[in-house]
C-alpha cells in the first residue's frame, strides 16, 4: 500500500469514527449523540454500538459494527468493571465474521470468566513455518474458522484466581491456494481440523478496568492438552504465559509493558502454532506472518490519556519485538523481529474511562491498521 492510500485510509477511518461533527438532525444525530455521550450513572451498565471501517490487501474494504456492554456486579462501583465486546464485519471480498470477547467479574471478585469466541469466513495468509519465512507470495487458505476459549476462575486469595480452561478450535471447508511463483508444503491442518483442549489457568489480576488500565498487574500461566481421547484430531500440548504491568506517570500518562510466551510440542495444526502479529501484540505484522512451536514477544507502550489540552483525545506510542523457534533451545537474537507505531485515542465512555483506539503499526514489510475499543493490552 503506497503512502497516498495510507492517507486516504486514515481519512476515511477518522471520518467514519468521528462523524458527530457532521451529524445535523434526525435519527442519525440521535444515534451519534448517544454513541459519544456517556449519560449512565456510576455503577450502571452501559451499551454502545458504532460502525467501523478497515482495509487490508487480502480483504479490500471491511465494514463492521462494534458493540460494547459494560457493567459492574450488583451495580456496585467497588466491584471491577466487566466487559463484553462484540464485533461483526463483512468485506468487499464476501468474507464475514463475528468476534466476541469477555472479561466478567463476579461480586467481590469471587468469580472471573475470561475468554473469547471467533467465527469467520476469512482468508488466512500462510508464509510457512519458522523464523525465516519469505515475506512475498504467501499461500491463501480460505476456510471457515471457529474458536471457543474460556477460563472459569475462582478466587482463592485476593487478586489470585485458578480454574479450568477449555479451548475448542475448528477449521473446515478449507481451500489451500498456492501462489503462482512457488509451492508450499501443506502443513498439518490445511485439509481441516477439529481440536478440543482441556487444562487449567492460574491468574493474578489486580486491574480494575481491563479496557484501560491505569495501574496494576496481570499475570497468567496456563496449560492445555489436546488428545484424540479428548475429541481432538491431533495430540499436542502447550503452556502459555502472559505478563502485563501498568505504571502511572503524572495524572494522565501511563507506561505499560507486556511479555508473552507460547510453548507448544507435539503434532500441532498450523492454525494453533504460536502466531506472531495481530491487533494486540506485534502490531504491524499480519497475524501468523511468522509462526512456529514457540514464541516470545514483548512490547512497551506510553499512553497520553487524554492530552493535557483535550478532554476526549489522546495518543500512544509503542515498540515491540518477538521471535519464534521450533524449540526453546533454538531461539536466537538474529531472528528477533521489531515493530513500532503510534495511535490516536477518542474517549468513548468518559465516566468509565474507555477509549476508542486507532493504531498504526510499522514494520519493514509495511504498515498495519487497527480500530478497536479499549487498549491493546
Amino acid at each position: 500500500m503506497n503512502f497516498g492510500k495510507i492517507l486516504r485510509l486514515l481519512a476515511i477511518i477518522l471520518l467514519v469514527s468521528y462523524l458527530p461533527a457532521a451529524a445535523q438532525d434526525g435519527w442519525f444525530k440521535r444515534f451519534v449523540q448517544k454513541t459519544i455521550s456517556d449519560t449512565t450513572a456510576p455503577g450502571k451498565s452501559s451499551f454502545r454500538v458504532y460502525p467501523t471501517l478497515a482495509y487490508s490487501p487480502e480483504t479490500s474494504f471491511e465494514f463492521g459494527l462494534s458493540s460494547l456492554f459494560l457493567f459492574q456486579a450488583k451495580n456496585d462501583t467497588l466491584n471491577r468493571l466487566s466487559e463484553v465486546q462484540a464485533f461483526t464485519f463483512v468485506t468487499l471480498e464476501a468474507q464475514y465474521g463475528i468476534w466476541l470477547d469477555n472479561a466478567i467479574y463476579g461480586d467481590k471478585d469471587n468469580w472471573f470468566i475470561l475468554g473469547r469466541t471467533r467465527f469467520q469466513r476469512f482468508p488466512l495468509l500462510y508464509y510457512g513455518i519458522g523464523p525465516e519465512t519469505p515475506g512475498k507470495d504467501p499461500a491463501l487458505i480460505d476456510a471457515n474458522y471457529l474458536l471457543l476459549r474460556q477460563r472459569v476462575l475462582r478466587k482463592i486469595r485476593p487478586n489470585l484466581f485458578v480454574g479450568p480452561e477449555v479451548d475448542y478450535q475448528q477449521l473446515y471447508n478449507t481451500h489451500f491456494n498456492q501462489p503462482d511463483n512457488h509451492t508450499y508444503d501443506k502443513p498439518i491442518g490445511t485439509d481441516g481440523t477439529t481440536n478440543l483442549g482441556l487444562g487449567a489457568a492460574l491468574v493474578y489480576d489486580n486491574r480494575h478496568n481491563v479496557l484501560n488500565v491505569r495501574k496494576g498487574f496481570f499475570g497468567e500461566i496456563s496449560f492445555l492438552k489436546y488428545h484424540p481421547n479428548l475429541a481432538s484430531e491431533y495430540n499436542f500440548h502447550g503452556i502459555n504465559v502472559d505478563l502485563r504491568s501498568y505504571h502511572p506517570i503524572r495524572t494522565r500518562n501511563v507506561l505499560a509493558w507486556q511479555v508473552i510466551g507460547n510453548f507448544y510440542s507435539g503434532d500441532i495444526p498450523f492454525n494453533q502454532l504460536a502466531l506472531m502479529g495481530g491487533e494486540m501484540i506485534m502490531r504491524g505484522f499480519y497475524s501468523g506472518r511468522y509462526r512456529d512451536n514457540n514464541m516470545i514477544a514483548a512490547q512497551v507502550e506510553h499512553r497520553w490519556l487524554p492530552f493535557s489540552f483535550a478532554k476526549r483525545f489522546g495518543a500512544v506510542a509503542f515498540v515491540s519485538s518477538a521471535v519464534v523457534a521450533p524449540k526453546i533451545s533454538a531461539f536466537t537474537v538474529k531472528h528477533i523481529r521489531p515493530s513500532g507505531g503510534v495511535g490516536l485515542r477518542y474517549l468513548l465512555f468518559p465516566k468509565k474511562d474507555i477509549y476508542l483506539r486507532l493504531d498504526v503499526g510499522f514494520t519493514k514489510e509495511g504498515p498495519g491498521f487497527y480500530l478497536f475499543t479499549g487498549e491493546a493490552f
Side-chain angles (χ1 to χ4, degrees):
M1 186 186 299
N2 60 36
F3 187 69
K5 287 184 177 180
I6 293 173
L7 290 179
R8 289 195 293 273
L9 174 59
L10 285 173
I12 292 172
I13 291 176
L14 289 172
L15 178 63
V16 172
S17 302
Y18 308 122
L19 275 172
Q24 297 297 324
D25 51 52
W27 69 268
F28 184 70
K29 179 179 179 180
R30 292 192 299 270
F31 170 77
V32 171
Q33 289 177 339
K34 180 177 177 59
T35 299
I36 66 172
S37 299
D38 189 5
T39 58
T40 55
K44 297 296 183 181
S45 62
S46 299
F47 180 74
R48 293 289 187 278
V49 179
Y50 53 90
T52 62
L53 176 67
Y55 176 88
S56 64
E58 67 273 11
T59 65
S60 184
F61 282 98
E62 174 185 300
F63 305 91
L65 280 177
S66 287
S67 61
L68 181 63
F69 179 52
L70 302 171
F71 63 96
Q72 289 163 299
K74 294 189 174 181
N75 293 328
D76 186 348
T77 57
L78 296 179
N79 284 320
R80 305 194 203 202
L81 188 66
S82 298
E83 58 95 1
V84 179
Q85 187 170 181
F87 170 59
T88 181
F89 64 88
V90 62
T91 78
L92 294 184
E93 300 295 330
Q95 300 135 354
Y96 52 87
I98 300 174
W99 294 9
L100 182 68
D101 294 286
N102 60 271
I104 301 172
Y105 297 93
D107 185 37
K108 299 179 181 178
D109 301 338
N110 286 326
W111 293 95
F112 181 25
I113 303 174
L114 180 64
R116 59 174 44 191
T117 301
R118 301 282 188 269
F119 172 75
Q120 59 188 40
R121 179 75 186 184
F122 197 77
L124 304 173
L125 296 183
Y126 178 73
Y127 295 87
I129 297 173
E132 294 184 332
T133 53
K136 296 181 179 180
D137 300 320
L140 185 67
I141 303 173
D142 198 10
N144 285 2
Y145 175 59
L146 176 63
L147 162 69
L148 300 168
R149 187 170 186 175
Q150 289 288 341
R151 312 154 184 83
V152 180
L153 307 172
R154 175 70 176 180
K155 183 176 70 174
I156 56 175
R157 288 189 175 183
N159 302 317
L160 186 63
F161 304 84
V162 66
E165 180 172 1
V166 59
D167 179 42
Y168 177 84
Q169 297 194 41
Q170 182 181 13
L171 201 68
Y172 61 101
N173 293 338
T174 60
H175 302 279
F176 193 95
N177 302 310
Q178 299 278 8
D180 295 332
N181 296 337
H182 64 278
T183 300
Y184 287 92
D185 294 331
K186 294 180 68 174
I188 294 175
T190 50
D191 293 324
T193 178
T194 300
N195 295 285
L196 174 66
L198 299 178
L202 178 67
V203 173
Y204 181 88
D205 183 10
N206 64 3
R207 304 170 300 171
H208 194 74
N209 180 348
V210 296
L211 291 177
N212 181 19
V213 186
R214 297 283 182 169
K215 181 180 180 181
F217 180 83
F218 173 89
E220 175 184 13
I221 182 169
S222 65
F223 173 82
L224 281 165
K225 175 65 176 178
Y226 306 81
H227 193 275
N229 292 338
L230 299 175
S232 292
E233 294 184 26
Y234 296 99
N235 182 12
F236 63 101
H237 61 272
I239 295 175
N240 299 289
V241 179
D242 186 354
L243 305 174
R244 313 178 191 186
S245 189
Y246 308 85
H247 307 272
I249 303 175
R250 299 180 181 176
T251 304
R252 299 178 176 87
N253 297 2
V254 175
L255 181 67
W257 60 262
Q258 180 183 28
V259 176
I260 285 180
N262 305 127
F263 310 100
Y264 296 95
S265 61
D267 298 322
I268 312 160
F270 82 101
N271 61 302
Q272 293 187 247
L273 291 166
L275 307 178
M276 182 191 298
E279 75 278 2
M280 296 181 65
I281 195 165
M282 295 303 291
R283 283 162 282 179
F285 280 106
Y286 178 84
S287 180
R289 169 61 185 89
Y290 293 97
R291 68 181 74 207
D292 214 320
N293 292 5
N294 303 277
M295 182 183 73
I296 298 175
Q299 64 181 335
V300 178
E301 183 168 286
H302 193 285
R303 303 169 181 170
W304 296 265
L305 301 175
F307 289 127
S308 59
F309 53 84
K311 292 183 178 181
R312 301 190 74 159
F313 286 91
V316 305
F318 54 89
V319 293
S320 57
S321 62
V323 59
V324 301
K327 51 186 179 180
I328 295 176
S329 60
F331 282 121
T332 62
V333 174
K334 72 175 184 178
H335 291 148
I336 294 176
R337 309 298 175 183
S339 71
V342 294
L344 293 175
R345 298 294 183 268
Y346 178 75
L347 186 55
L348 192 63
F349 293 87
K351 293 183 180 179
K352 292 180 172 57
D353 199 27
I354 305 291
Y355 285 79
L356 182 70
R357 69 178 173 105
L358 169 62
D359 289 336
V360 184
F362 297 97
T363 71
K364 289 184 178 180
E365 299 179 2
F369 300 88
Y370 310 91
L371 181 63
F372 289 91
T373 304
E375 296 304 322
F377 66 98

